[in-house]
Amino acid sequence: MNWQATYKSKVVSPKLAAAKIKSGDRVVTGHACSEPIDVIEAMITNKENYRDVEIVHMLSLGKGGYVKDGMEPYFHHNALFVGGGTRIAIAEGRADFTPCFFYKVPELFREG
């Protein structure tokens, strides 16, 4: 199988991708412009399906709907870089900030 066929066989809708996430999972998303906005929105739309899902990423340029007041039972955000959409939630203690140099992120996940 060539790479195009392999890629095509793995593409799913944002709703189906979000449905694969289970309560208690850690979801690490892309950084800045590679953040999967449609998947995040599908997760927020179906928040009742989740409990304690941790969302981790570096810089979020999205709306940060998962850090809005009242989303605490469903999602917990852990920022590796504080962006505008998550700053208030971090300041209010509804989200975490784990300071980390970007080049250290792979090591952070390798070492737990």
Side-chain angles (χ1 to χ4, degrees):
M1 188 181 293
N2 64 29
W3 72 266
Q4 292 101 335
T6 301
Y7 175 83
K8 195 171 191 175
S9 74
K10 295 180 182 205
V11 173
V12 297
S13 70
K15 184 176 179 178
L16 183 56
K20 300 274 185 188
I21 299 165
K22 301 177 296 305
S23 291
D25 280 354
R26 172 180 290 148
V27 177
V28 181
T29 70
H31 166 70
C33 64
S34 67
E35 183 178 0
I37 302 293
D38 292 337
V39 175
I40 298 290
E41 290 300 321
M43 290 170 63
I44 293 167
T45 298
N46 296 295
K47 67 182 182 285
E48 295 82 18
N49 296 331
Y50 307 115
R51 287 283 181 253
D52 301 318
V53 171
E54 180 184 20
I55 299 175
V56 180
H57 56 66
M58 291 184 274
L59 176 62
S60 170
L61 298 178
K63 299 176 195 172
Y66 49 86
V67 297
K68 302 289 184 210
D69 197 23
M71 298 297 266
E72 296 87 354
Y74 315 108
F75 306 111
H76 182 78
H77 177 64
N78 188 353
L80 303 180
F81 184 87
V82 180
T86 58
R87 185 170 284 118
I88 292 171
I90 291 167
E92 293 178 351
R94 293 182 287 110
D96 289 328
F97 170 49
T98 303
C100 182
F101 290 112
F102 287 177
Y103 79 92
K104 291 279 205 175
V105 170
E107 182 181 330
L108 179 72
F109 286 104
R110 271 194 310 273
E111 294 181 6

